[in-house]
Amino acid sequence: MSPRPKRRRMLSEPPSVSGFVPESGDYSSASEDRIILLFEEYEAIKLTDYEGLTQLEASIRMCISRPTFTRIYESARKKVAKAFVENKRISIEGGHVEFKADWYRCECCGSVLKRKSGWKAGSCPVCGETQVVPLQQATNNFQKRGGGAGCGGRFHGGRGIGGFCICPKCDYKIVHSPGVPCGSVLCPHCDIRMVREDSEHYQFILNKRKK
Ligand SMILES: [Zn+2]
Ligand SMILES: [Zn+2]
């Protein structure tokens, strides 16, 4: 008999960042040294520690049983603690999840988009490359392949609290609100997550678009 298939965990929205890096330079940038926090583990911490739900409420939101939730939550806390104490990068990726909408990431330029009617999965509306994959399968390795990021294959975000969030495709801009990550804002025209205008990621995307 084959093992019972695992039920997918339901997530409302993907996280607005792909991971975290320690502030000091004394950490390994090797991809095997990072901590991989699964999407469902991120969600477990968000629902309880950030939104203040009980574990039971959170398990209902994610469409899983309470014991399964507890297991995911404990694993998540252990990973985050390990990253804090051992000064490791955290990469949020993978797991066994389903999002309420179809989310994709271009593994070439790092753009994150929500499926729009008329758009066929496969080619990136931003850079034109054909490495667009469902977010559940994305690997956070796009920075390395691009070659432009340097610094162990990661980007620095925007500077300071001012500036603009910009759509990587149509350049629609809004004033950045402090406390609201640009990555949590969708371009109203393109359904693509915005990026900080003065970030290395946006520079990288601009270079890709020129080609
Ligand atoms: Zn792309
Ligand atoms: Zn746009």
Side-chain angles (χ1 to χ4, degrees):
M1 259 179 57
S2 55
R4 196 157 58 107
K6 266 202 258 173
R7 192 145 26 120
R8 289 189 182 278
R9 290 85 202 237
M10 185 57 85
L11 265 68
S12 47
E13 291 267 296
S16 55
V17 291
S18 60
F20 295 88
V21 291
E23 189 175 63
S24 84
D26 180 26
Y27 64 92
S28 163
S29 58
S31 120
E32 60 274 16
D33 285 335
R34 69 205 164 120
I35 304 273
I36 295 184
L37 191 67
L38 303 175
F39 282 120
E40 58 258 42
E41 292 171 339
Y42 165 88
E43 187 78 356
I45 290 185
K46 177 180 161 222
L47 292 177
T48 49
D49 295 317
Y50 182 75
E51 292 188 14
L53 300 188
T54 65
Q55 291 201 12
L56 180 62
E57 289 164 339
S59 69
I60 293 168
R61 270 274 199 111
M62 289 172 70
C63 305
I64 51 179
S65 72
R66 162 70 201 266
T68 303
F69 180 87
T70 302
R71 223 168 33 240
I72 293 170
Y73 178 69
E74 278 169 4
S75 161
R77 295 278 294 248
K78 269 193 196 133
K79 286 182 180 180
V80 171
K82 188 175 166 72
F84 281 3
V85 174
E86 298 180 12
N87 209 29
K88 286 182 185 296
R89 290 163 58 206
I90 298 176
S91 210
I92 307 171
E93 65 184 53
H96 201 70
V97 298
E98 196 168 322
F99 296 108
K100 286 188 176 141
D102 274 353
W103 286 91
Y104 293 86
R105 175 151 62 206
C106 172
E107 298 246 76
C108 195
C109 71
S111 295
V112 175
L113 43 137
K114 203 172 186 173
R115 173 166 232 159
K116 263 183 96 110
S117 56
W119 174 72
K120 281 202 202 81
S123 86
C124 174
V126 175
C127 74
E129 297 287 340
T130 52
Q131 295 165 30
V132 183
V133 296
L135 196 55
Q136 293 91 323
Q137 293 160 26
T139 55
N140 280 332
N141 283 331
F142 66 89
Q143 294 105 324
K144 296 244 169 65
R145 249 175 264 151
C151 256
R154 66 188 173 84
F155 298 112
H156 292 288
R159 325 258 183 263
I161 53 166
F164 292 89
C165 314
I166 191 161
C167 169
K169 176 161 189 263
C170 73
D171 297 328
Y172 171 80
K173 257 200 229 185
I174 55 165
V175 176
H176 175 75
S177 348
V180 181
C182 307
S184 68
V185 183
L186 272 185
C187 169
H189 311 292
C190 313
D191 274 355
I192 296 176
R193 284 190 161 181
M194 318 257 292
V195 295
R196 200 65 173 273
E197 191 185 26
D198 63 355
S199 66
E200 288 181 358
H201 191 185
Y202 184 59
Q203 274 311 313
F204 177 80
I205 286 171
L206 281 183
N207 289 334
K208 284 238 161 251
R209 267 169 40 184
K210 271 187 220 140
K211 285 175 199 157

